[in-house]
Amino acid sequence: MTDIKDLERAWEDDPNNLKTYFALEGEYQKSGNWEGLIQLFSNGPETIKTTKDFGTRVIEVLNDVLEGTTAKADRAKILVALGDASLSHSSDRETAMRHYQTAHKEFPQDVTCLERARDMYMKTEDYDRVLLLYRLQGKVFSEPNEARFKTLLGLAQIHGEFKSNFKKAIPFIEEGLEISPDDSFAKELLSNYKSGKT
């Protein structure tokens, strides 16, 4: 029987070895190691990643793994990987968004799906949707912490940088500074917005 650890060591020694790549992929599939698969697909040899059917195969494999996964936290991560694959391999924003939304519904505590969707809408300059996603993320983190702080600053910057609505932006920064009062970036942002500068 093939030892996965031996294959992983061989892969680390020679990441361009296609025989090792496919053997490791097969072992990960058999064992249901979706984390290993995602990492393998991300770091695979360029000779594989640039082939025409690579994206299709990645999506098929991840869908198979998803079907056999019941833990919601794990399913959310696989769904995010499916969304990423839909974007990177076929530029299919609609399918990617569907995967991100499903991930959020299944396990809202993992905000990676919201971050991915937010990045996607930022690229298309759909700032209203970006704001909505920031608000959703804010609901997940109801307690003051680093993630909450970043969410508040994100909300402030969307209002300030892209909508030039400093009046709406300032309260988010002030709330953020209650969490992290010594943050120099937040202080500078607050000063700029109060003086009407971006």
Side-chain angles (χ1 to χ4, degrees):
M1 188 176 76
T2 306
D3 189 313
I4 290 182
K5 293 296 181 186
D6 287 341
L7 285 172
E8 288 174 337
R9 282 191 289 269
W11 171 248
E12 287 177 10
D13 292 339
D14 184 6
N16 291 311
N17 188 307
L18 298 183
K19 185 177 178 181
T20 304
Y21 174 89
F22 286 116
L24 190 54
E25 180 186 317
E27 290 300 318
Y28 282 154
Q29 282 184 255
K30 282 193 288 185
S31 63
N33 185 343
W34 56 268
E35 290 177 308
L37 279 169
I38 291 170
Q39 186 176 12
L40 196 65
F41 291 147
S42 299
N43 301 322
E46 289 303 315
T47 50
I48 291 291
K49 292 167 72 174
T50 54
T51 56
K52 193 173 182 180
D53 64 341
F54 176 72
T56 302
R57 194 163 56 81
V58 168
I59 291 169
E60 286 177 353
V61 170
L62 289 175
N63 271 315
D64 287 343
V65 174
L66 183 67
E67 286 183 13
T69 304
T70 56
K72 289 186 177 181
D74 291 345
R75 286 179 59 81
K77 287 183 171 64
I78 298 166
L79 283 160
V80 168
L82 276 165
D84 294 347
S86 298
L87 273 180
S88 60
H89 299 300
S90 58
S91 300
D92 188 345
R93 288 192 176 93
E94 186 177 338
T95 299
M97 184 54 66
R98 187 167 66 248
H99 288 311
Y100 296 147
Q101 287 172 336
T102 305
H104 179 65
K105 287 176 184 176
E106 293 209 8
F107 195 69
Q109 292 89 340
D110 186 344
V111 297
T112 307
C113 52
L114 298 180
E115 292 168 353
R116 292 288 205 284
R118 195 175 67 227
D119 290 344
M120 193 174 80
Y121 284 131
M122 280 292 289
K123 288 175 183 175
T124 60
E125 300 183 359
D126 191 339
Y127 301 125
D128 289 332
R129 289 184 186 272
V130 173
L131 281 171
L132 174 63
L133 289 164
Y134 265 122
R135 292 190 187 105
L136 277 174
Q137 189 167 331
K139 287 179 182 178
V140 173
F141 292 103
S142 57
E143 298 299 320
N145 53 26
E146 184 182 353
R148 174 71 175 163
F149 174 73
K150 289 180 180 178
T151 298
L152 289 165
L153 281 197
L155 282 164
Q157 286 180 283
I158 294 297
H159 281 297
E161 302 286 332
F162 301 107
K163 288 181 166 286
S164 297
N165 191 334
F166 303 119
K167 187 176 179 181
K168 276 194 173 182
I170 287 170
F172 290 117
I173 305 173
E174 291 174 335
E175 187 179 343
L177 284 168
E178 289 177 10
I179 297 169
S180 186
D182 298 322
D183 188 89
S184 57
F185 177 75
K187 286 180 177 179
E188 183 180 358
L189 201 64
L190 181 62
S191 175
N192 287 342
Y193 286 0
K194 281 186 172 179
S195 60
K197 294 187 297 183
T198 57

